[in-house]
Structure formats: structure tokens, C-alpha cells
Amino acid sequence: MVKYQPFSGTVTMINDFAITASGENEGCYKLMSVIDGSGRQVNFVVEPKTYFVDQAMVGVGDRVTGYHDADAPVPLIYPPQYRALVMVKETPGQNVKVDFFNSQLISSDGMLKLNFSSGTQLLLENGQRFTKNPANRNLIVVYGPSTFSIPAQTTPYRIIVLC
């Protein structure tokens, strides 16, 4: 099970990132620098398989949240450099949470509970419909308003199952 760790901020740089000396994957990998409101910087390695919510095009100056595996080994360099698993470009009126949701559809941090409606889209990463129960899985949840309770409850617009 992947433990998704978010980091939010403003994109300050996007450059090509070479992973091999041969250049066979030239242009396929990007290094994206993100700085949060307190000045902390993180570099995300964006791979061809990094999932971008809504296939959003991200540029310098955009507010984003990048999710990486909190348990994955990382090089001991500054600023920290993480492999981006999921990237979210902030959109007004839209919230996104990437986490493991248990059998009651409560996130692993206990902060969000999902309620379904007939309008909730349940999809795979490739855009196809997911037809099983999304409980006990890693999910990307796209939602709007939520309650002020703990856990907050919401009826998601869309759920992407990370198989």
C-alpha cells in the first residue's frame, strides 16, 4: 500500500530531466520545482506515468499539489526530490484528496468520509468505468463542498481508483 504524501505550492520551474546518459528518454521526464507559502521547496520528478488529475497542463506560476510515496527512498539532497505519483492543478471550487480509503470509505488520516450518489463517477486511471466496490483501495477523490464534521463528509464528483 502506497502512503501518499502531499506537498502544495506554486510551480517556479519546469525543466527537462535526463534519467539516462544515452538520451533515449530525452524530453519524457520533467523536473518541477514547487515552493510553498513558507518558502519550503520541493523538486518533483514528473514521469510519463505520473497521473495528472483532469489531464491538466501545468505551467510556471500555477498552484499545484504533488503526491509522492512517503515510504519510498529519496536522495539526501536539498531541496528534496520526490518521484511524483499524482499531480493536481488547483481549481476553484474543486478539492482533491489522494489516499487509502477503508471499508467505511474513510481516508487513512480519518479526515474525509465518502458518500455516493447516482452522479458519482467511478473510474479507472485510463478513464474506463470501475464496476467494483472502491473500499479498501487507494483513490483519487475529486469533490466540492463537505461538512464541517470530523471526518468531513462529501459526495464526490468523481473517484479514480488507483489499481
Side-chain angles (χ1 to χ4, degrees), residues 51-146:
Y51 186 87
F52 279 78
V53 173
D54 297 328
Q55 294 183 339
M57 187 66 66
V58 173
V60 172
D62 289 336
R63 296 249 335 132
V64 298
T65 299
Y67 290 86
H68 62 92
D69 184 348
D71 296 327
V74 295
L76 293 173
I77 58 174
Y78 183 82
Q81 184 171 293
Y82 302 115
R83 192 175 128 237
L85 300 175
V86 178
M87 293 296 294
V88 180
K89 181 178 178 180
E90 289 188 16
T91 305
Q94 177 176 287
N95 301 299
V96 177
K97 184 165 185 83
V98 181
D99 205 347
F100 178 83
F101 286 80
N102 68 17
S103 60
Q104 283 91 34
L105 293 173
I106 298 174
S107 61
S108 68
D109 62 5
M111 298 305 288
L112 187 65
K113 180 176 183 350
L114 307 180
N115 300 313
F116 284 93
S117 78
S118 59
T120 301
Q121 291 182 314
L122 195 54
L123 305 170
L124 292 167
E125 291 174 82
N126 63 11
Q128 298 304 301
R129 194 167 17 170
F130 182 77
T131 56
K132 301 295 180 185
N133 185 345
N136 295 311
R137 297 177 185 268
N138 288 317
L139 306 174
I140 300 171
V141 180
V142 181
Y143 64 101
S146 63

Side-chain angles (χ1 to χ4, degrees), residues 38-56:
S38 63
R40 293 180 302 157
Q41 179 178 342
V42 162
N43 289 334
F44 284 110
V45 176
V46 178
E47 304 175 341
K49 65 181 180 179
T50 300
Y51 186 87
F52 279 78
V53 173
D54 297 328
Q55 294 183 339

